[in-house]
Amino acid sequence: MDHKIMNNSKGSDGIGLALGSGAALGAAHIGVLKALEEHNIKPSFITGTSIGALVGALYAFGKSVEEIEEIAIGLDWLDISDIRLSKMGLLSNNEIGELLNEHLGEVTFEEANIKLAVVATDIANGEKVILDKGRVSEAVEASTCIPVIFEPIEIDGRMLVDGGLLESVPVSVLKDFGAAKTIAVDVKAFRKYKRPDDIFDVLNNSLEIALIHLAHVRIEDVDLLIQPKLGDYSRMDTNHTREMIDLGYEAAVEALDDF
């Protein structure tokens, strides 16, 4: 059962953009946004899961592609996490919220330039939770909260974690908005696995293997599907951000030209 924290208004037209989960692979979303702008495509709705929620929030509140790229290139794993040993997780995910507050201020969904929603998972009952009101930073913290690694984020009495557990690329939310045309960005379409080096790699591979089918979007479900070829990159490695941005751009240009 899905639990939706949404207002009742639906769009009747416009383009909807769904940005999928993938941790560091989400840098490719920036290249996609660049290509969309070059083709004069501006979404009326943005939905995001995990890293897609972070990139989507920055764009929905008016940050330029260049500004988002600069933010992404400056990020490191240690910049977006904080040691917080507890019975619920190894790290705290509060740094993500602070990052958004630094660049956007303590904004709410209602203030967005482009209608925005992010997806999280209620770890207590397995329900999908769609957040599109209240504090944006808090919602993005929840959507990017990888289970076990990060302790859950509590919102309205719910214990929330990464939305990728239930909907890796949140196309269904665009349909709830009533978008006339839908574009989905799946950054996990060509995943490869490598021998783990540490506990984080073990957990990462385990989640990827268990959830990989959720990342794939059927072409018949959307009007345009963009799938950057990121199989050679780790979702935990922020050392190749520029390369992944370029691959996102190339995949988007190719898809848009074919479309």
Side-chain angles (χ1 to χ4, degrees), residues 28-41:
H29 289 317
I30 303 169
V32 171
L33 291 173
K34 179 181 179 182
L36 291 177
E37 287 193 350
E38 289 183 357
H39 284 73
N40 296 315
I41 297 174

Side-chain angles (χ1 to χ4, degrees), residues 186-192 216 227-232:
D186 174 10
V187 298
K188 295 162 70 175
F190 301 97
R191 296 308 300 134
K192 297 177 182 178
H216 295 309
Q227 297 177 307
K229 296 180 179 179
L230 304 172
D232 292 328

Side-chain angles (χ1 to χ4, degrees), residues 42-55:
K42 186 172 181 63
S44 299
F45 317 99
I46 297 178
T47 59
T49 297
S50 197
I51 188 63
L54 176 60
V55 175

Side-chain angles (χ1 to χ4, degrees), residues 32 35-36 39 41 183 224 226 251-259:
V32 171
L36 291 177
H39 284 73
I41 297 174
I183 300 172
L224 181 63
I226 300 172
V253 168
E254 181 178 357
L256 286 164
D257 288 344
D258 291 341
F259 183 72

Side-chain angles (χ1 to χ4, degrees), residues 5-160:
I5 304 177
M6 301 179 69
N7 60 45
N8 293 322
S9 64
K10 291 186 177 182
S12 58
D13 55 18
I15 296 172
L17 175 64
L19 302 178
S21 65
L25 303 176
H29 289 317
I30 303 169
V32 171
L33 291 173
K34 179 181 179 182
L36 291 177
E37 287 193 350
E38 289 183 357
H39 284 73
N40 296 315
I41 297 174
K42 186 172 181 63
S44 299
F45 317 99
I46 297 178
T47 59
T49 297
S50 197
I51 188 63
L54 176 60
V55 175
L58 290 168
Y59 194 68
F61 279 87
K63 287 296 179 183
S64 69
V65 172
E66 292 75 20
E67 288 174 313
I68 300 173
E69 180 174 356
E70 184 177 347
I71 293 170
I73 290 172
L75 284 181
D76 185 84
W77 172 259
L78 294 178
D79 293 331
I80 54 175
S81 60
D82 186 28
I83 299 296
R84 180 79 61 83
L85 293 177
S86 75
K87 64 180 181 180
M88 295 295 181
L90 300 174
L91 304 171
S92 166
N93 200 30
N94 293 338
E95 296 292 328
I96 284 285
E98 292 180 9
L99 175 72
L100 278 176
N101 287 336
E102 176 187 348
H103 291 285
L104 302 180
E106 296 188 10
V107 293
T108 64
F109 283 92
E110 293 78 4
E111 301 172 75
N113 299 336
I114 302 171
K115 187 167 179 56
L116 172 71
V118 304
V119 177
T121 301
D122 188 326
I123 198 64
N125 58 23
E127 291 182 348
K128 181 170 70 178
V129 178
I130 302 170
L131 301 160
D132 80 334
K133 62 182 180 180
R135 290 174 52 216
V136 173
S137 59
E138 187 178 52
V140 174
E141 281 183 42
S143 186
T144 57
C145 185
I146 302 171
V148 181
I149 292 182
F150 296 123
E151 57 184 350
I153 304 298
E154 186 168 333
I155 299 177
D156 295 335
R158 286 175 170 266
M159 294 180 66
L160 303 181

Side-chain angles (χ1 to χ4, degrees), residues 189-214:
F190 301 97
R191 296 308 300 134
K192 297 177 182 178
Y193 303 103
K194 298 180 180 179
R195 182 182 179 87
D197 293 324
D198 53 38
I199 187 174
F200 293 106
D201 286 346
V202 172
L203 178 59
N204 178 58
N205 278 9
S206 299
L207 287 172
E208 288 266 5
I209 292 167
L211 302 174
I212 193 64
H213 67 284
L214 290 174

